[in-house]
Amino acid sequence: MCCGRRKAPPGLVPLILMGHGGGQHKKAPGIVERARRFVTEGGFAVVAVDVPGHGDRPKTEEFARVAAGLRAGMAAGEDVAPHLATMHTFLAGRAVPEWQAVVTAVQELDVVGTGPVGYFGMSMGCGLGVPFVAAEPRVRAAVLGLLGVEGLTEDAARVTVPVRFLLQWDDDRVPRDRGLALFDALGSADKTLHANPGGHGAIPEFETDSSLRFFVRHLG
């Protein structure tokens, strides 16, 4: 999905890539609503892509095996962080080069061009976003959050762009200390932590306002 409203000459429109959460897809309501605001209020171009095994993408046998391990761990009451790390590592190995190719393709559009790139991703979108931002030099700023540090320490240390990190203080899926550890592991000198009360999916709407201002400040 790609959408944009040009507020600058061709070749100067900043692009934001959005990563969706686990079990979601590129047209999930939260993705679409934030994309709409980034486009209409910020003048950005926005693109979202189904992660392998999600949305319109086929589910491979390998994906089914990794997903089954995650479900079994949850059913057994285990600490699911190692299972999530395995899932995210598996998906990132496929998604990161795909997203890099998507950025290249979208920047070839006349209404976008080779302007600066930002990234927004929560939960699984953070788990794949950290290695993507670490690997992609065109990304100038990122909004990440709702995930722990497991499996991401090395990639997080390689993230050096400005980061806004969102954490839900009462997250029922990601222990607070693990989210704080991921924020601490990010190598960015310019990083801010935004913590709000509530569960995993209860990010307040004003954080979208704040994220929009963050991208305007860093992407223009």
Side-chain angles (χ1 to χ4, degrees), residues 33-55:
E33 177 57 24
R34 286 191 180 95
R36 182 191 65 79
R37 293 199 58 193
F38 291 163
V39 169
T40 60
E41 299 177 34
F44 299 109
V46 177
V47 62
V49 182
D50 284 334
V51 170
H54 292 70

Side-chain angles (χ1 to χ4, degrees), residues 79-90:
D79 179 0
V80 298
H83 296 287
L84 285 174
T86 298
M87 171 66 80
H88 294 164
T89 299
F90 166 74

Side-chain angles (χ1 to χ4, degrees), residues 24 66 138 199 206:
Q24 297 182 355
V66 175
R138 289 172 291 185
F206 64 74

